[in-house]
Every structure is written in C-alpha cells, then in structure tokens.
Amino acid sequence: MKKLSFIVFITLLLVSCARPARDSYGCYRDFESAVMSGTASGSGRNIIVIATMEGSDEQSGEFLQKVVRDSGFSAVTEQYSVVLMDFSKKAYDATVAADAEDKKAVKIAAQNEEILNRNILTAKLLNISTTPSFYLLSKEGCFITNVDYIDEINSPQEFLNLLSSYQEKTEAVNALIARCSSASSQEKLQAIEELYDSTESLYRPFLLDFITKAIKLASSDVNKKSKFLLARTDAQSTRAFLGGNADAAVAGYVNLAAEKNLTAEARQQAWYMAAYLLAMSDASQYEVIITYLQNAVEAAPESADAASIQRAINEISGK
C-alpha cells in the first residue's frame, strides 16, 4: 500500500474532522466541503450545486422528493459531487438549540449556523435569486455554467440527462483548467489568463486560487501582474463585501493602491473601487470618498476613465 505524505494525511484528517461528510442522500451540505473533499481525495467529479427552499417552494419539494430522495439518486452522486444548500425555515430553525442547557445541541446548532452562513455567501456569489437552482462547477470550484431548470425532472436519470446536456461546456472548461498545470510557467500563465478572461466577471471570485498562482507566474511582467493583483483584490473584496464586512472590502482596494509595482491604470481602478464600495456601504464618509476618487484621477490622469471619474467628483461635490 502506498503511504500518504504527511501533508496529505493531515489534510484528510482536517477535512474529516472539521467538516461533516455527506448527508444520508450522499450530498455535501456546503460548497467548501465538496471542494476540500475532492482536493484531498483526488476525486475527479465535477460539482453540482443545488439550492432549495423546501416548504416555501413547491418545486423544490417536488425535486427533492422525486430526485434527491429517490433510491436511484446514488447514480448522480457517483458521477458528481452534489452540494445541497437548503434555505428553508427548517434550515434556519436548526441553527438554534431547543435547549440552551444541552451542550451537544448547542454545538450542533452552532455547526448548522456556520454551514448556513457559508451557504448564504455561496448563494450570493452565484447570484441565486430563485429556487430550485442548479449550478455546475469544476472539481476545483471553478464556475462552469448555470443549469436551466426543467419542470419535467421526475427522476435521478432525467436529472443526469439534463446535466449531460452541458457536457461540451463542461469539457471545455476542464480542458482549460488542465492546461493550467502545463509544463512551462508561461503556458500555465497563458492558460490561467484564458480561464479568467473566459469566465463571466460575476463568477471570477471562484477563481481565486488560480488568480493567486498567476500573480506568482507573472513575475516581472508588470502588466499581467497588475491585472491579477487587481483580480485577486476583486475576488477577496467581493467575498468580504457580500459576507457583510464592507470595511475589509474597501481596505483591500486601498492596500492594493499602495502597491509599488502596479500600473497606473490598475492603481486608478483600485482607488475607484475603494470609493465605490465605500459609497455603497457608508455614503456619509463624503470627504473620504472624494479623496479616493481624486486619487484615482491623479493615478492615471490621461486614462480613458479619468474624465468620467472627474465628472463623478464634480457631481458629488456639486461643481
């Protein structure tokens, strides 16, 4: 038997201890658990995220009953890492222990709350607005596509047939991801850039690990390094802002603007985004917002965006 390396062993141990495995239907309870489990085990399964609101949404109830709770659903979990995120009243009720003196119940409720909060952030990142909703992602957690819901899904096999209709798109994204592990650094960087550029901006926060790798690979290429430094801040600040930490989201851009090896245009964008997020979260900080916008203009006064940023300053200040 081949021995596991110490790092892999610890990773598997942490995954098994820190996160619940899967529910009785073979579904992960949150997106992070599916990604971590796939990374630790080397599973090649793509991820299908299912968002439901059982009890409040008739279609969710029907899908769960006819598909997920059917005995044949194991055929789905054998081919995909399934994440079932439920936002029903039952899920929220499970975050509060019925008996505050019962330590075990309190601990379980706290774990349920942590899972629900992670799911809420994932739902925001996926821009989920209706239930049931379905999203395909790679085993690494890269967004592939949303799956159009069809009312006539009455069995696990029909669900598999629906997912297989996205095979071409799925294979294209996975092929690009595979290229990100190419032999040369330049090939890796090029593949990551293609993956990033081909991903809709809304879903780029799911590429954070690849973006971080690109920053290292860019080395002395100031333009590409600036592009991915800005992309990393976009991803991190988006997660922070959607997670309710607007201060950290704004600070991320302010810190980026202080980077020495950054193009003037990237620095301008960093100051502009700091101003934008601050205005979104606390418009009362009028003077700070104006300062950030002025910094943006000064960073690249001849850029294509400088004039529009200046107009925004004039409108805000009433000039």
Side-chain angles (χ1 to χ4, degrees):
M1 180 182 293
K2 186 177 179 180
K3 293 183 178 180
L4 292 172
S5 71
F6 179 74
I7 293 177
V8 171
F9 173 76
I10 290 297
T11 301
L12 288 168
L13 183 63
L14 289 174
V15 169
S16 62
C17 294
R19 299 289 172 90
R22 292 186 280 180
D23 64 19
S24 57
Y25 303 104
C27 302
Y28 292 97
R29 296 179 64 193
D30 65 279
F31 176 68
E32 290 81 2
S33 291
V35 175
M36 289 176 65
S37 179
T39 301
S41 66
S43 168
R45 296 187 183 93
N46 293 309
I47 298 170
I48 177 68
V49 175
I50 304 171
T52 61
M53 193 179 292
E54 188 174 18
S56 301
D57 169 20
E58 184 177 346
Q59 287 184 323
S60 286
E62 290 180 355
F63 177 83
L64 290 169
Q65 190 61 37
K66 294 179 179 179
V67 180
V68 176
R69 291 168 187 157
D70 186 278
S71 59
F73 190 67
S74 58
V76 179
T77 58
E78 286 172 3
Q79 295 187 42
Y80 295 89
S81 291
V82 182
V83 179
L84 179 58
M85 305 191 308
D86 183 46
F87 299 101
S88 66
K89 181 178 183 298
K90 181 180 178 181
Y92 282 88
D93 289 344
T95 65
V96 180
D99 183 0
E101 300 300 321
D102 186 337
K103 293 183 178 179
K104 183 178 180 180
V106 170
K107 183 178 180 180
I108 292 174
Q111 291 173 341
N112 289 335
E113 182 177 22
E114 183 181 350
I115 290 170
L116 182 59
N117 287 336
R118 286 200 295 268
N119 287 343
I120 289 172
L121 177 57
T122 299
K124 289 179 179 178
L125 288 168
L126 288 171
N127 197 33
I128 294 175
S129 59
T130 60
T131 55
S133 290
F134 309 91
Y135 299 85
L136 267 172
L137 297 98
S138 74
K139 64 183 177 65
E140 298 85 359
C142 302
F143 182 83
I144 296 175
T145 184
N146 61 306
V147 177
D148 291 332
Y149 178 70
I150 300 175
D151 291 342
E152 291 75 22
I153 300 177
N154 294 310
S155 69
Q157 186 57 53
E158 289 182 4
F159 187 49
L160 279 174
N161 293 343
L162 174 62
L163 296 179
S164 67
S165 67
Y166 294 89
Q167 184 175 354
E168 185 176 348
K169 173 68 173 177
T170 300
E171 289 178 350
V173 173
N174 280 325
L176 195 50
I177 290 171
R179 285 179 51 208
C180 294
S181 300
S182 302
S184 74
S185 296
Q186 189 58 40
E187 289 172 335
K188 289 177 186 175
L189 180 59
Q190 182 179 346
I192 293 173
E193 187 166 27
E194 286 182 33
L195 177 64
Y196 177 82
D197 290 343
S198 63
T199 300
E200 189 178 339
S201 59
L202 179 67
Y203 303 113
R204 286 173 179 170
F206 289 100
L207 300 175
L208 183 56
D209 289 345
F210 288 89
I211 291 168
T212 300
K213 184 186 293 186
I215 293 171
K216 297 178 181 178
L217 292 170
S219 186
S220 59
D221 189 328
V222 178
N223 289 322
K224 288 193 176 181
K225 191 162 189 175
S226 294
K227 174 180 179 176
F228 287 109
L229 282 169
L230 184 58
R232 181 176 65 182
T233 304
D234 286 341
Q236 292 172 334
S237 289
T238 295
R239 288 178 176 274
F241 192 82
L242 294 178
N245 194 344
D247 289 345
V250 173
Y253 285 109
V254 172
N255 293 336
L256 176 63
E259 284 273 349
K260 291 182 179 180
N261 298 320
L262 201 66
T263 63
E265 290 76 12
R267 196 180 313 281
Q268 180 175 81
Q269 184 68 10
W271 281 122
Y272 174 78
M273 287 303 301
Y276 175 78
L277 290 183
L278 185 57
M280 289 269 292
S281 59
D282 187 3
S284 67
Q285 295 197 48
Y286 169 84
E287 292 184 359
V288 179
I289 294 169
I290 291 292
T291 297
Y292 288 170
L293 290 174
Q294 289 173 336
N295 289 347
V297 173
E298 292 169 5
E302 303 302 322
S303 76
D305 296 322
S308 61
I309 296 173
Q310 183 60 57
R311 283 195 297 272
I313 295 172
N314 295 341
E315 289 176 8
I316 295 172
S317 58
K319 293 181 180 179

